[in-house]
Amino acid sequence: MPAKSRQPKTREPLTRERIAAAALKFIDEHGMEELSMRRLGKVLKVEAMALYHHFANKGELLDAVLERLADEVELPPRGTMPPMERLRCFARSHRQMALRHPHAFILVPTRRFSTDRSIARYEEILEAFGDLGFDAALSARYFRTLGYLASGAGLADIASRAEQPDARPVRLETFDDPRFPRVTAVVPHLRASKLDAIFEFGLDIVFDAMARDAETIRQANAKKKN
């Protein structure tokens, strides 16, 4: 009986998406500082030079990783809920993404979105502010403010859970020192278990201000029509 001919294994094609996904996974597992084109090539079982056919340098690769992080942040489609709720959902999802990728999240607040794909994401978010009646200047202010809150909360959450690279045990989690009475008093309210409530407190402050501005704009527009 003739032996069955063995079909050669088909190698998965090397694409920008596959490389960026592998880079994010590598960062999640080993940290940002360990990432190099040579090490990533080894993971993908290709020579490092093969990666340069898709990315001119490591900076372009990190831009692609940043795109993948941004894609994970949920912004419900326009029309599925009021603009304010869409933006609140976005802020919560942004923070949760930090906890999923504690090593890679630092790219979000420190690296500018510069690709068409990431700028299109900006456009979607700014559209929600526009739907509240905000002009470009007010949209920019609230866009930044909400970004500061969500990114800052994400970084604080990572640190509070000691998930950043080379983290030391969180001393403040069980802090009790009579030399620092105010710190000792506050620590129980800053523990990781309290962070959700603190974040929602911050969101309420920002969104209450947004609601007031949106109502002022609505009333002004109504007067113009009358």
Side-chain angles (χ1 to χ4, degrees):
M1 189 173 180
K4 292 181 179 179
S5 60
R6 291 186 178 180
Q7 296 293 330
K9 290 184 178 179
T10 303
R11 177 177 291 183
E12 186 179 353
L14 199 62
T15 63
R16 287 176 63 90
E17 284 298 315
R18 184 181 168 214
I19 295 169
L24 178 55
K25 186 173 186 292
F26 185 95
I27 294 169
D28 285 342
E29 295 175 354
H30 305 288
M32 187 77 67
E33 293 181 357
E34 295 299 314
L35 178 67
S36 70
M37 299 299 245
R38 180 182 61 80
R39 287 172 178 159
L40 187 58
K42 189 174 180 180
V43 169
L44 291 166
K45 298 181 180 179
V46 298
E47 294 294 329
M49 285 306 299
L51 304 182
Y52 288 102
H53 291 299
H54 300 272
F55 297 99
N57 49 53
K58 185 178 175 181
E60 281 193 8
L61 174 60
L62 292 178
D63 284 343
V65 172
L66 184 57
E67 287 176 345
R68 294 190 70 85
L69 293 174
D71 286 346
E72 286 192 20
V73 181
E74 180 186 3
L75 178 66
R78 193 182 196 186
T80 58
M81 59 179 67
M84 205 83 79
E85 288 305 308
R86 292 180 68 212
L87 289 167
R88 189 179 283 263
C89 180
F90 170 80
R92 288 170 176 158
S93 183
H94 185 106
R95 175 185 170 229
Q96 288 301 315
M97 183 264 287
L99 298 178
R100 289 193 300 274
H101 303 286
H103 291 181
F105 183 73
I106 191 65
L107 290 172
V108 177
T110 60
R111 196 171 187 87
R112 294 297 88 195
F113 283 22
S114 58
T115 65
D116 284 352
R117 180 168 155 187
S118 59
I119 291 173
R121 191 65 166 159
Y122 270 154
E123 184 72 17
E124 292 175 0
I125 300 164
L126 291 171
E127 179 184 66
F129 288 110
D131 288 343
L132 290 170
F134 295 171
D135 62 14
L138 197 56
S139 293
R141 290 173 186 171
Y142 278 117
F143 174 79
R144 279 293 191 208
T145 301
L146 198 57
Y148 294 154
L149 176 61
S151 289
L155 292 171
D157 288 354
I158 291 167
S160 296
R161 291 170 170 81
E163 292 183 358
Q164 71 273 36
D166 303 315
R168 298 177 63 195
V170 181
R171 183 183 176 194
L172 289 181
E173 189 70 14
T174 56
F175 191 83
D176 187 0
D177 191 324
R179 296 175 302 166
F180 308 105
R182 291 180 178 81
V183 176
T184 298
V186 164
V187 157
H189 305 283
L190 293 177
R191 289 174 181 154
S193 61
K194 305 289 186 180
L195 295 179
D196 287 349
I198 292 174
F199 181 63
E200 291 297 323
F201 175 78
L203 284 183
D204 286 344
I205 293 172
V206 174
F207 279 88
D208 284 351
M210 286 173 58
R212 288 194 298 271
D213 282 338
E215 178 60 19
T216 298
I217 292 168
R218 187 194 68 77
Q219 291 180 7
N221 290 335
K223 285 182 179 179
K224 289 179 182 177
K225 291 180 180 178
N226 296 333

